[in-house]
Amino acid sequence: MMKRWVVLLLTLATMPLVLGFAGCGGDGPKLAKVTGKVTYKGQPLKSANIKFYPPSGPIAVGITDDNGMFSMNTNGRAGASLGMNRVAITKMTAGTAGAQPTTTMSPDDMKNMAKSNIKKENTGPKSEIPEKYGDADSGLLSADVSADAAQNDLVFDLQ
């Protein structure tokens, strides 16, 4: 019985090393640098989430900055998979639930807030842009990622 535990512990201890070496061969998807800008009704879209879905393999993700600019990353590596990618862009509000900091509220304040919210609709996060842009399967947005990174400076002008 003791031998089984030793074998199990040795197996578990060496597994990260084996898996680590297996990932070092560059066998992941071929990526190219992708940057760009997202606008909504002509204005830069700040803090939007962007996802690129390739036909197979891991998705690439990005977040826009204050100027609507983004760069894509796949599993911690810069870039997105080569070829045609379906694209989804989302931008959510923070919602009003929990908008008031509870750390500065007294127990009586919390009770009063709970009573006043009983009949109110819970207004969680809502999309700030049409939800159709967040559906990669809709075919509205796509990106053909080229091996030539100079061709991968994209603009998504949402209306």
Side-chain angles (χ1 to χ4, degrees):
M1 184 72 164
M2 183 67 154
K3 281 186 177 181
R4 287 184 185 162
W5 281 104
V6 171
V7 170
L8 178 63
L9 287 175
L10 286 174
T11 302
L12 290 174
T14 58
M15 194 176 297
L17 292 173
V18 172
L19 293 175
F21 286 124
C24 292
D27 293 332
K30 300 263 189 245
L31 304 179
K33 181 179 177 184
V34 177
T35 58
K37 184 173 186 172
V38 179
T39 61
Y40 178 59
K41 295 184 177 179
Q43 298 300 313
L45 189 60
K46 175 183 172 183
S47 301
N49 293 296
I50 305 160
K51 293 181 182 175
F52 281 27
Y53 295 89
S56 64
I59 64 172
V61 296
I63 299 175
T64 58
D65 65 12
D66 290 348
N67 299 312
M69 305 301 290
F70 68 89
S71 60
M72 301 304 292
N73 292 287
T74 303
N75 287 341
R77 295 171 46 206
S81 293
L82 298 180
M84 190 57 69
N85 286 259
R86 295 173 294 129
V87 177
I89 301 175
T90 57
K91 167 76 168 137
M92 304 301 284
T93 64
T96 58
Q100 194 172 8
T102 56
T103 55
T104 59
M105 296 176 69
S106 71
D108 287 335
D109 290 337
M110 289 182 192
K111 284 181 194 175
N112 291 335
M113 183 178 76
K115 285 180 186 176
S116 69
N117 286 335
I118 287 176
K119 293 184 181 178
K120 290 183 182 176
E121 180 182 336
N122 183 3
T123 56
K126 292 184 181 176
S127 183
E128 290 187 22
I129 61 174
E131 291 181 8
K132 63 185 179 183
Y133 296 120
D135 181 7
D137 293 325
S138 71
L140 286 175
L141 303 173
S142 63
D144 193 3
V145 178
S146 170
D148 179 5
Q151 295 181 18
N152 297 332
D153 189 23
L154 309 173
V155 176
F156 294 101
D157 186 22
L158 312 179
Q159 296 302 317

